[in-house]
Amino acid sequence: MDVLVILEESQGSLHRLSREAIAGAQKLGSSVAALAIGENADTLASELSSYDLEEVFTAKHELLSSYSADGYFETVIQLIRAESPALVVAGHTYQTRDFMPRVSAKLDIPFIPDIVSLSDEGFVKQVLNAKLNASLSSASDQIILSFQSAAFNDEEIRGGSCSARAFDVELDSSQVRSVSEEPFQEATGDVDLESAEVLVSVGRGIEKEENVPIAFELAKAIGAEVCASRPVVDSGWIDSFRQVGSSGHNVAPKLYFSLGVSGAIQHVVGMKGSKNILAINKDADAPIFELADYAVVGNVLEIIPKLIEALNNK
Amino acid sequence: MKIAVLVKQVPGPESALPINDHGTWVDEESVTFVMNPPDNFALEEALLIKEGKGDGEVVVVSMGPDRVQKVIREGLAKGADRGIHIEEVGPIEKDPLHIAKRFTAVLKDENFDLVLTGLQSDDTGMGQTGVLIGEMLGISTATLAVETDIKDGHIRLKRELESGWFQWVEFPLPASISIQSGLNTPRYPSLKGIMGAKKKEIKTVSCTELDISSNCQSVDKVFVPQTSKHSEVIDGEVDAAVERIVEILKSEIKVI
């Protein structure tokens, strides 16, 4: 095996970024294997059965029934030691960020994180708040990589077959120091952003809380749900369950209609997979315009009330 | 409770970012530096923990050239007790394993109960130094803490997961924890704090005293991102823009 993909579970099935990581791994090496960890490892492995992979290792243990940095780290280093892959890859998720640096430190393998693309010179990563890109490389025999959302397209995964093999991880309770409680959501508000066809997104350009209702009016006029960037949520103008970005939801609607969203990297990672992006911002240099299909340079507070009027008169 | 807060000095959000002549990083002469904004939340959390306990010590540790003494002083002015400056000469190190080994060499004899970091730096954004150091020190690690609760020899903390999920985890101290931005409101230094900071100790350790070898990664070049997308720019009169948006929604994206 050249490349080992560390899989992640999301609500009982394979995390989208894990599928994208498989697509990336297939571009990087001819012989790719994967590792599924935890009590749902067999379910994750079965999701890979039609992919062109050498095999998928399943690691199950009573100490791996829920995620812990200690347990996952131990499992991953044991498999790396047994199989010596040249590359270890994963999606750049919160979970990867939580345990993967431990693997890097323990085995002295460089971890190049948050890669957005591959180039002839190396691995491309955004730096300085995404204002610049950087090309990174390592001469090490082994490298750990993590891929940002949408760095690779999971529709490009090479099909084939893949069988599962149990990996016997050796763990004892002294190695898992943490006790994890059940994950919980603060409030869901009965809003399903992930499956909304159209999203109206509110950014700091809305200026103040009193202006937020125009976003909801616009959403009503075009049959959309309302979401928001982190600064708007942190200001308490919109509920946190509507947040899109690295600490919120990851969405890919047919239309993402953003109002005064600047396009900070933390927000962009959660919406860059949108099919169409229409952005309004008064700053012509706002980073959101680099992604937008339609870049409307202007004041949201002037445009939106007139747009609502025009839509309602039709 | 003895707490280390690792702070980094980075180009500020409003700073110009001209690329240097070799194309390897920004030209630091033209950059306005600030304390890495996420580290500010880690510093505040350390000060709140110390104040909540009523005793203890907060030590601000930073690596870089002489200029980073400014962010150490800023930490001292806000209430940290002393500083450690790991002094670099020449280009700043960007390889996380190297950086972590240098910090570990300095931190290991201090026996901190807690090592706090921001969730990532706004310059290289590697987001791993705190966890690397935790593993190198052989202590517990956790990331993205949004609430901390110190008990006897233990810490219970609320971690942010993805898509609006959270989880409480508890583990023994010592620990290295990265702090999610926004969990507290960082204070401003008082005038008294600023005056007092001048008398506080900053110990300087030279990087060359720390003998380190490691596999590493390098930042080989930086460049302005090329947009691959062809966007239609609509920047005329409000009425014309509205008319065009309606047309797009109706005939091109077909959502109404």
Side-chain angles (χ1 to χ4, degrees):
Chain A
M1 164 211 328
D2 313 325
V3 190
L4 174 65
V5 185
I6 311 299
L7 305 172
E8 180 170 337
E9 177 190 334
S10 172
Q11 316 298 328
S13 56
L14 196 59
H15 196 294
R16 180 170 61 82
L17 265 62
S18 295
R19 277 200 301 278
E20 293 177 2
I22 292 171
Q26 289 181 333
K27 288 190 165 49
L28 287 163
S30 53
S31 153
V32 179
L35 168 65
I37 303 173
E39 59 188 8
N40 288 330
D42 293 334
T43 315
L44 299 191
S46 67
E47 285 188 53
L48 306 185
S49 59
S50 64
Y51 294 162
D52 180 21
L53 296 172
E54 198 175 271
E55 58 191 333
V56 51
F57 296 93
T58 53
K60 289 189 282 186
H61 193 284
E62 58 182 3
L63 291 168
L64 296 172
S65 60
S66 66
Y67 169 78
S68 71
D70 290 338
Y72 272 52
F73 149 76
E74 268 300 330
T75 306
V76 171
I77 62 168
Q78 286 178 24
L79 186 61
I80 292 175
R81 281 176 169 153
E83 299 288 328
S84 305
L87 295 174
V88 177
V89 309
H92 190 67
T93 61
Y94 277 5
Q95 186 171 300
T96 296
R97 294 167 58 165
D98 194 57
F99 79 88
M100 201 65 99
R102 297 263 306 268
V103 177
S104 169
K106 181 76 180 184
L107 301 179
D108 203 32
I109 302 176
F111 172 26
I112 307 181
D114 207 9
I115 294 161
V116 293
S117 62
L118 307 176
S119 78
D120 294 341
E121 290 101 17
F123 304 102
V124 179
K125 167 180 196 317
Q126 295 169 309
V127 295
L128 296 153
N129 274 322
K131 287 174 189 145
L132 295 176
N133 276 356
S135 168
L136 288 85
S137 65
S138 174
S140 170
D141 295 340
Q142 290 182 298
I143 312 176
I144 301 167
L145 307 170
S146 67
F147 302 128
Q148 191 179 97
S149 172
F152 295 96
N153 185 346
D154 61 359
E155 288 168 14
E156 289 171 14
I157 294 176
R158 217 168 40 241
S161 65
C162 166
S163 57
R165 169 149 71 111
F167 176 67
D168 289 325
V169 55
E170 283 173 34
L171 276 178
D172 68 70
S173 53
S174 69
Q175 290 167 304
V176 180
R177 291 167 287 193
S178 60
V179 178
S180 307
E181 295 171 26
E182 279 297 303
F184 63 97
Q185 281 179 298
E186 301 264 91
T188 61
D190 221 12
V191 170
D192 187 0
L193 297 182
E194 266 93 359
S195 50
E197 279 256 289
V198 186
L199 286 171
V200 167
S201 173
V202 184
R204 243 183 308 206
I206 202 85
E207 290 181 11
K208 51 186 175 186
E209 190 172 7
E210 294 81 84
N211 295 329
V212 168
I214 64 167
F216 282 87
E217 280 177 54
L218 173 65
K220 197 174 161 209
I222 61 174
E225 270 297 352
V226 173
C227 63
S229 67
R230 181 157 197 144
V232 171
V233 170
D234 282 347
S235 303
W237 300 349
I238 286 189
D239 293 315
S240 63
F241 55 79
R242 294 188 186 272
Q243 185 174 318
V244 164
S246 56
S247 51
H249 294 273
N250 203 315
V251 298
K254 184 174 172 191
L255 171 63
Y256 194 84
F257 192 145
S258 74
L259 311 180
V261 171
S262 65
I265 176 64
Q266 295 82 355
H267 183 73
V268 165
V269 294
M271 50 65 74
K272 64 197 275 192
S274 304
K275 313 291 175 292
N276 293 283
I277 298 170
L278 192 161
I280 308 182
N281 200 300
K282 58 186 173 192
D283 176 7
D285 294 326
I288 190 79
F289 287 148
E290 284 166 24
L291 296 175
D293 301 277
Y294 304 96
V296 183
V297 184
N299 187 339
V300 165
L301 303 173
E302 288 172 14
I303 295 171
I304 297 308
K306 289 197 169 183
L307 178 62
I308 293 167
E309 198 185 311
L311 291 167
N312 290 341
N313 286 343
K314 296 251 158 201
Chain B
M1 180 69 51
K2 194 172 162 187
I3 309 171
V5 186
L6 313 189
V7 299
K8 190 172 188 181
Q9 195 187 37
V10 300
E14 311 297 329
S15 173
L17 298 171
I19 294 171
N20 67 21
D21 293 342
H22 301 289
T24 51
W25 193 236
V26 290
D27 175 15
E28 296 209 347
E29 295 296 312
S30 316
V31 165
T32 323
F33 286 99
V34 299
M35 182 188 291
N36 181 43
D39 299 348
N40 214 351
F41 295 100
L43 172 63
E44 181 64 30
E45 198 63 17
L47 295 172
L48 291 173
I49 291 169
K50 180 190 156 185
E51 287 161 6
K53 290 260 148 209
D55 75 317
E57 188 184 28
V58 174
V59 182
V60 178
V61 190
S62 187
M63 184 169 84
D66 279 343
R67 60 174 164 79
V68 308
Q69 293 228 352
K70 185 161 177 269
V71 293
I72 299 174
R73 286 275 171 226
E74 192 181 327
L76 299 178
K78 288 182 176 185
D81 299 284
R82 62 186 167 95
I84 301 175
H85 174 200
I86 306 173
E87 191 180 25
E88 282 187 300
V89 183
I92 59 161
E93 181 58 64
K94 300 185 195 70
D95 173 50
L97 280 171
H98 262 95
I99 293 168
K101 284 180 184 180
R102 286 176 180 171
F103 274 99
T104 302
V106 170
L107 298 178
K108 67 177 194 308
D109 298 327
E110 292 261 5
N111 297 315
F112 286 102
D113 299 297
L114 263 183
V115 176
L116 298 187
T117 54
L119 87 152
Q120 64 182 56
S121 63
D122 278 2
D123 56 357
T124 53
M126 299 289 190
Q128 51 185 271
T129 308
V131 181
L132 291 174
I133 292 168
E135 175 61 27
M136 289 173 185
L137 290 170
I139 61 180
S140 311
T141 64
T143 52
L144 294 153
V146 291
E147 204 176 322
T148 62
D149 179 17
I150 310 277
K151 296 176 168 179
D152 228 12
H154 274 70
I155 184 165
R156 186 168 180 267
L157 60 87
K158 186 174 162 188
R159 288 191 62 227
E160 187 171 303
L161 310 177
E162 291 176 343
S163 301
W165 289 78
F166 296 89
Q167 181 175 38
W168 284 96
V169 289
E170 185 170 333
F171 45 81
L173 295 174
S176 176
I177 293 164
S178 87
I179 299 293
Q180 171 66 297
S181 297
L183 88 166
N184 54 35
T185 310
R187 67 193 69 187
Y188 291 97
S190 65
L191 186 60
K192 190 169 159 240
I194 294 168
M195 300 307 289
K198 292 176 182 162
K199 296 190 211 89
K200 291 177 179 172
E201 176 207 2
I202 299 180
K203 183 171 112 183
T204 300
V205 185
S206 164
C207 274
T208 52
E209 293 166 27
L210 310 170
D211 185 21
I212 280 155
S213 69
S214 178
N215 283 320
C216 62
Q217 58 179 295
S218 55
V219 175
D220 304 320
K221 68 170 196 171
V222 292
F223 51 98
V224 177
Q226 299 296 312
T227 64
S228 49
K229 220 158 192 176
H230 174 73
S231 28
E232 175 186 336
V233 178
I234 301 161
D235 59 357
E237 287 290 312
V238 172
D239 289 332
V242 167
E243 201 176 315
R244 178 67 188 126
I245 295 170
V246 173
E247 191 178 274
I248 292 164
L249 297 176
K250 206 170 171 181
S251 317
E252 294 179 23
I253 310 177
K254 301 189 176 95
V255 291
I256 52 171

